[in-house]
Amino acid sequence: MEKVFFDEAAASLPDACFKAPVEAGFLLGSGCDLQVDNDDVIVRVEYADIPGLGAAGVQGHAGELVLFKKDSRVMAVWRGRRHYYEGVRMESVVLPIEILRRMGCRKVLLTNASGGINPALRPGDFVILKDHINLTGVNPLVGKHNPEWGERFPDMTQVYSKRLMEILHACSNKLSLRVMDGVYAFSSGPCYETPAEINAYKSQGADVVGMSTVPEAIFAHACEMEVAGISFVSNLAAGIGRAHLNHEEVISSGAKAKPVMNALLNAFLSRI
């Protein structure tokens, strides 16, 4: 990856984004949102106004960076993400994480919508990520090494913070959510997987499958950020359920889950 790519994006942001360290950052996927009171907002920036990022290209992603205060602490939420399947550079996919790093952020929560593979899951459940499988062969750290992004060969034994996982469990229990720990399989998309592929992923230990999150998690962990991930099960994966898979189902399921996800994120905010 090229450092100048991120330099240009950071230079486009208001100075207010870098005045005080960000306590925690959130990168939200399909069907996930965090409502912020206008009185708490420090700055709002449209993705379209950030060089290298550009407008969100997928329905269900608001495409807005919001910097805000919560109990006198500065937080940042990226409302939507760019996906590798959109044909953008990997730099665009992980740009929100690099901007958070430059803001002094040391904790990040990644959310996504996924297809359920584990037979114990049903649509509407939540999975707290304990590990992932990168099925794509694509890695955001490929290219010239930048020491600011950590070691050249970072250890990936524990990408997802056990401490943050425990906080997510406590918040989920308080809200009486159906939740389990699980492994997220990252597929490049944009097509959904075949039943044979899902069976293969299941045999490898995957509980859910989706088209995001892993590049950001790899990059954030390499940068020594504390990473947490939570996946909303919007549908059953191919061959697990009988329904025809389509993005409208993801959007519809996500819309129903937004109040619950908002409550979960706010509870998480209060505990970190």
Side-chain angles (χ1 to χ4, degrees), residues 119-254:
L121 292 170
R122 63 192 189 199
D125 288 349
F126 291 87
V127 175
I128 297 171
L129 304 191
K130 64 179 181 180
D131 207 344
H132 67 240
I133 302 171
N134 186 353
L135 302 165
T136 70
V138 176
N139 191 300
L141 301 176
V142 169
K144 184 178 179 181
H145 177 54
N146 182 348
E148 294 180 13
W149 300 332
E151 299 178 7
R152 184 51 171 142
F153 304 102
D155 175 40
M156 292 284 141
T157 302
Q158 188 70 54
V159 175
Y160 302 93
S161 162
K162 290 183 178 180
R163 185 184 75 88
L164 295 184
M165 287 175 64
E166 290 173 358
I167 293 175
L168 282 171
H169 270 293
C171 296
S172 301
N173 291 338
K174 187 174 181 180
L175 295 169
S176 300
L177 302 182
R178 276 179 51 92
V179 64
M180 63 175 281
D181 291 347
V183 176
Y184 178 93
F186 169 46
S187 172
S188 67
C191 58
Y192 292 104
E193 301 74 25
T194 69
E197 288 171 334
I198 292 300
N199 280 332
Y201 304 162
K202 182 179 179 181
S203 70
Q204 292 173 4
D207 297 290
V208 289
V209 62
M211 306 173 190
S212 68
T213 303
V214 169
E216 300 100 307
I218 290 173
F219 187 66
H221 181 68
C223 293
E224 299 183 353
M225 300 172 75
E226 199 174 6
V227 181
I230 188 160
S231 186
F232 165 68
V233 180
S234 60
N235 57 273
L236 299 180
I240 305 297
R242 296 182 179 180
H244 175 73
L245 299 180
N246 59 76
H247 192 61
E248 286 70 26
E249 180 184 8
V250 176
I251 297 300
S252 176
S253 297

Side-chain angles (χ1 to χ4, degrees), residues 17 27 29 47 50 52 54 70 90 113 117 139 143 163 179 205 207 230 237 239 243 252 268 271:
C17 290
L27 180 54
Y47 284 11
I50 303 176
K70 175 75 171 181
M90 186 54 72
I117 296 177
N139 191 300
R163 185 184 75 88
V179 64
D207 297 290
I230 188 160
S252 176
F268 182 77
R271 289 175 178 254

Side-chain angles (χ1 to χ4, degrees), residues 17-28:
C17 290
F18 304 98
K19 279 192 174 180
V22 169
E23 179 72 19
F26 299 79
L27 180 54
L28 308 183

Side-chain angles (χ1 to χ4, degrees), residues 35-48:
Q35 298 298 320
V36 179
D37 293 335
N38 286 330
D39 291 343
D40 297 329
V41 173
I42 300 171
V43 65
R44 293 180 184 270
V45 183
E46 296 291 328
Y47 284 11

